[in-house]
Amino acid sequence: MVDDVKKEDLQEKKREVLFSMPKNIRQIGQPEDNRKIYIEDYVMSFIRYLGKESTSTYKTAVFLGDYREVEGNQCIFIQGAIEVEGIDLEEGKCFPKEIWESIYQEIEENFKNGSIVGWMLTKAGIPLETTEVLEKIHIDNFSGQDKTLMLYDTLEREECFFVFEKKHLKKKEGYYIYYEKNQEMQNYMLKKKGIMPSEKVDDYAIKEMKKRMEGMQEAKRKKRQTRKKIKIASILGAVFVFGILWQNREMIKEWGHVKETFLENNQVDNDKDDELFVEQQESKITISKEEVDKKEEVDKQGETEKKPKEEKVETKEVVQIEEEGQYYIIQPGDTMVSICMKQFQSLEKMDDILKINNIEDKDKIVAGQKIKLWE
């Protein structure tokens, strides 16, 4: 008996040595010092995924994790969550023996370590306050100090934690979200979506990448065609402008020839009349030259304004083609989890996407926002 106790103590000490606090932690609200709750980010994503399906009925999950004492504070670490089906609070069907058997079977199949540390309840419009019914369900099924309950209102996208202390569920003013690889939770989420974690997922990702590469090559081909069209349009425009300028120069020369011919063939004895007539003709020629110069300047300005505009439109089309596939515009109802599943059928790219787009909180994304999927 003494040897068994010593073995248990050694195992517990070994677990304490192996444990280390997560590096990436984000605080939500104002957590208390005496009891702190840490929940992994993939677990939160799974809860919100369940919340989308609980508009009119309750959705329930059991939390898996561990208890740790960190710097003198009692901490609850929630590392996994398993959906519990078949529970109907309104009809009083709450955690019968058959459901518990299915829960432990799911734990055995999907999670190697971790014990039950609490549960979660979600529904659209659910009040974020405990009731006598919830407390009774908690005491009957999750007895023990420090077991937690989370209520999540999918309508307002708000959540609240409660911890069982001194025979009552006490509301906590804040908690922490931490980020880890958490492969077990990722695989479980894929299975819930009907996708088996296997090579098929990798094959799909490869096919998608090939499609994007082909799309980029097509975009480059269209870009070359667009540049060719711009060059042809520029050449034609230059020829047109040159033709106009040439015609104007011939007109000026013709007026000069008229002046010389008139002075040679129309000499008059009265010098005053002759000078007046010449001045009038020179005035006409000067006006004609001003009109020609003005026309040339207008044509040049029009051609200059027209050409950048065309290039701008074409360039915009080219950029749009090149960006096709590399960016994604967030749609109403999208989350970072749903976007990763839709684009890559995996959640492994989520951290990279958040880093590329400088998104600190993956839950604070806005419909219409344009994000880059890869560098």
Side-chain angles (χ1 to χ4, degrees):
M1 184 69 178
V2 175
D3 292 338
D4 293 339
V5 172
K6 288 182 179 180
K7 288 180 180 179
E8 290 179 0
D9 291 340
L10 289 173
Q11 290 177 353
E12 183 63 28
K13 288 180 180 180
K14 185 178 180 180
R15 290 173 62 199
E16 291 295 335
V17 171
L18 295 174
F19 173 78
S20 60
M21 282 291 292
K23 295 181 180 180
N24 299 318
I25 300 176
R26 181 162 57 94
Q27 178 177 319
I28 307 296
Q30 298 296 327
E32 301 172 8
D33 291 334
N34 58 342
R35 279 178 174 79
K36 297 182 178 180
I37 300 173
Y38 294 83
I39 183 168
E40 208 280 319
D41 182 62
Y42 283 107
V43 180
M44 287 297 299
S45 297
F46 181 65
I47 290 169
R48 293 188 173 92
Y49 165 74
L50 291 180
K52 288 185 177 181
E53 300 181 348
S54 61
T55 56
S56 59
T57 58
Y58 287 101
K59 287 283 184 178
T60 309
V62 169
F63 285 144
L64 305 175
D66 204 357
Y67 298 98
R68 297 284 181 179
E69 182 175 342
V70 181
E71 297 180 354
N73 298 317
Q74 297 296 325
C75 302
I76 306 171
F77 287 87
I78 302 173
Q79 301 162 339
I82 291 178
E83 182 181 5
V84 182
E85 299 179 355
I87 289 181
D88 191 339
L89 298 180
E90 296 175 355
E91 295 185 5
K93 296 180 180 179
C94 302
F95 298 97
K97 181 180 178 180
E98 299 79 16
I99 288 181
W100 276 114
E101 290 176 353
S102 65
I103 291 173
Y104 285 113
Q105 184 177 354
E106 288 277 0
I107 294 174
E108 185 176 352
E109 292 177 358
N110 299 283
F111 297 91
K112 296 179 181 179
N113 300 315
S115 57
I116 296 175
V117 295
W119 61 305
M120 181 277 300
L121 191 65
T122 180
K123 183 183 178 183
I126 185 174
L128 299 182
E129 298 291 341
T130 59
T131 62
E132 293 182 2
V133 175
L134 290 179
E135 285 210 359
K136 185 177 186 308
I137 295 172
H138 188 91
I139 293 171
D140 292 342
N141 297 276
F142 301 92
S143 59
Q145 193 76 354
D146 294 334
K147 289 291 193 300
T148 183
L149 165 65
M150 176 184 176
L151 299 178
Y152 176 61
D153 178 11
T154 184
L155 189 64
E156 299 293 335
R157 300 190 68 180
E158 294 181 353
E159 66 278 344
C160 184
F161 279 95
F162 300 84
V163 175
F164 193 74
E165 300 177 7
K166 298 179 181 179
K167 299 181 180 181
H168 290 288
L169 286 169
K170 182 180 178 182
K171 186 175 183 179
K172 311 302 289 185
E173 299 300 327
Y175 63 96
Y176 299 91
I177 296 177
Y178 68 98
Y179 302 85
E180 286 186 345
K181 184 74 173 176
N182 202 351
Q183 192 63 49
E184 290 182 340
M185 193 64 208
Q186 291 186 53
N187 292 339
Y188 178 74
M189 292 170 67
L190 289 174
K191 289 173 65 176
K192 294 300 291 184
K193 292 178 176 290
I195 304 172
M196 293 301 294
S198 64
E199 294 182 357
K200 292 182 179 179
V201 177
D202 296 333
D203 293 341
Y204 176 82
I206 292 172
K207 290 179 181 178
E208 288 297 313
M209 185 59 67
K210 287 182 178 179
K211 289 182 181 179
R212 292 192 178 97
M213 292 298 292
E214 291 174 357
M216 293 176 66
Q217 291 177 356
E218 181 67 16
K220 289 181 180 179
R221 186 183 65 80
K222 292 182 178 180
K223 182 179 180 180
R224 288 194 295 268
Q225 291 180 348
T226 302
R227 288 178 176 174
K228 186 176 180 181
K229 291 179 181 179
I230 293 174
K231 289 181 179 178
I232 293 173
S234 300
I235 293 171
L236 293 176
V239 170
F240 178 75
V241 173
F242 180 78
I244 293 176
L245 293 176
W246 182 259
Q247 290 178 356
N248 291 337
R249 287 193 182 94
E250 291 297 326
M251 185 183 297
I252 293 171
K253 290 180 179 179
E254 184 178 352
W255 278 109
H257 180 69
V258 169
K259 176 183 175 182
E260 292 176 358
T261 303
F262 177 81
L263 292 175
E264 290 176 358
N265 300 325
N266 294 280
Q267 298 268 336
V268 293
D269 296 334
N270 194 333
D271 295 335
K272 292 184 179 180
D273 292 340
D274 182 57
E275 290 176 0
L276 178 61
F277 183 81
V278 171
E279 288 177 0
Q280 289 176 351
Q281 296 300 320
E282 287 180 343
S283 176
K284 290 180 181 180
I285 293 174
T286 303
I287 293 173
S288 299
K289 288 183 179 180
E290 290 177 354
E291 289 177 351
V292 170
D293 294 338
K294 186 175 181 182
K295 184 177 181 181
E296 289 179 356
E297 183 178 356
V298 170
D299 290 340
K300 289 181 180 179
Q301 290 179 354
E303 196 65 20
T304 303
E305 293 175 356
K306 181 179 179 181
K307 184 175 178 181
K309 186 176 181 181
E310 292 176 352
E311 292 179 349
K312 184 176 181 181
V313 173
E314 297 294 344
T315 304
K316 184 176 181 182
E317 292 176 355
V318 172
V319 172
Q320 184 175 357
I321 292 170
E322 289 182 326
E323 293 179 350
E324 184 177 355
Q326 187 180 6
Y327 292 85
Y328 178 83
I329 299 178
I330 298 174
Q331 304 297 317
D334 276 349
T335 63
M336 288 306 301
V337 171
S338 66
I339 293 172
C340 289
M341 294 305 301
K342 185 190 300 183
Q343 296 296 321
F344 302 103
Q345 298 297 314
S346 171
L347 301 173
E348 295 184 357
K349 299 290 184 180
M350 181 181 294
D351 294 338
D352 294 336
I353 295 173
L354 294 174
K355 183 177 179 181
I356 291 171
N357 295 278
N358 297 322
I359 299 176
E360 297 181 357
D361 188 351
K362 73 180 184 59
D363 298 319
K364 294 183 179 180
I365 57 178
V366 182
Q369 180 181 352
K370 184 177 181 181
I371 61 175
K372 184 183 286 187
L373 298 178
W374 71 83
E375 288 288 1

